[in-house]
Amino acid sequence: MNETVEIVVDPMEAAAAEAAELLKALSNPGRLRILCALVPGELTVGELETMLGASQSYVSGQLLRLRNEGLVACEREGRSMRYRLSDPRVRPVLERIYEIFCPAE
């Protein structure tokens, strides 16, 4: 007797899980600052260090996590790596966060 069990996946549940993972990555202020810095375009680790006033090891560690999350990608340019946003869903989220929390004076 073979009975097949059909598992129904609620699309809203799957979307909520994806959104929660993205929000987890954004929940760290350092990672959020890195992502915001990448909204205008590509930057090297050195440029990010200068912009954020953070150490190379900290910036590199956060970039590694963001790469593992699929939010940033990089390309080698000579001896340095240039990072950019890689998930198209991130830019509008970051722009909205900036609009709400960093209003023009």
Side-chain angles (χ1 to χ4, degrees), residues 33-88:
R33 289 179 66 208
I34 289 170
L35 291 168
C36 286
L38 294 173
V39 168
E42 296 181 355
L43 294 169
T44 64
V45 173
E47 291 167 332
L48 286 165
E49 286 174 54
T50 301
M51 287 178 78
L52 305 174
S55 70
Q56 184 272 331
S57 61
Y58 178 79
V59 172
S60 292
Q62 296 303 324
L63 285 167
L64 178 61
R65 168 118 187 231
L66 292 168
R67 280 179 66 188
N68 290 338
E69 297 281 340
L71 301 179
V72 299
C74 65
E75 288 182 24
R76 182 167 296 284
E77 185 177 271
R79 291 181 51 182
S80 61
M81 302 291 278
R82 295 197 65 78
Y83 285 84
R84 69 180 183 290
L85 297 178
S86 62
D87 186 331

Side-chain angles (χ1 to χ4, degrees), residues 14-39:
E18 272 189 71
E21 287 302 311
L22 172 62
L23 293 172
K24 253 193 267 186
L26 297 179
S27 69
N28 176 282
R31 288 192 298 272
L32 184 56
R33 289 179 66 208
I34 289 170
L35 291 168
C36 286
L38 294 173
V39 168

Side-chain angles (χ1 to χ4, degrees), residues 4-19:
T4 41
V5 177
E6 186 175 325
I7 299 173
V8 178
V9 177
D10 178 9
M12 191 67 152
E13 186 176 331
E18 272 189 71

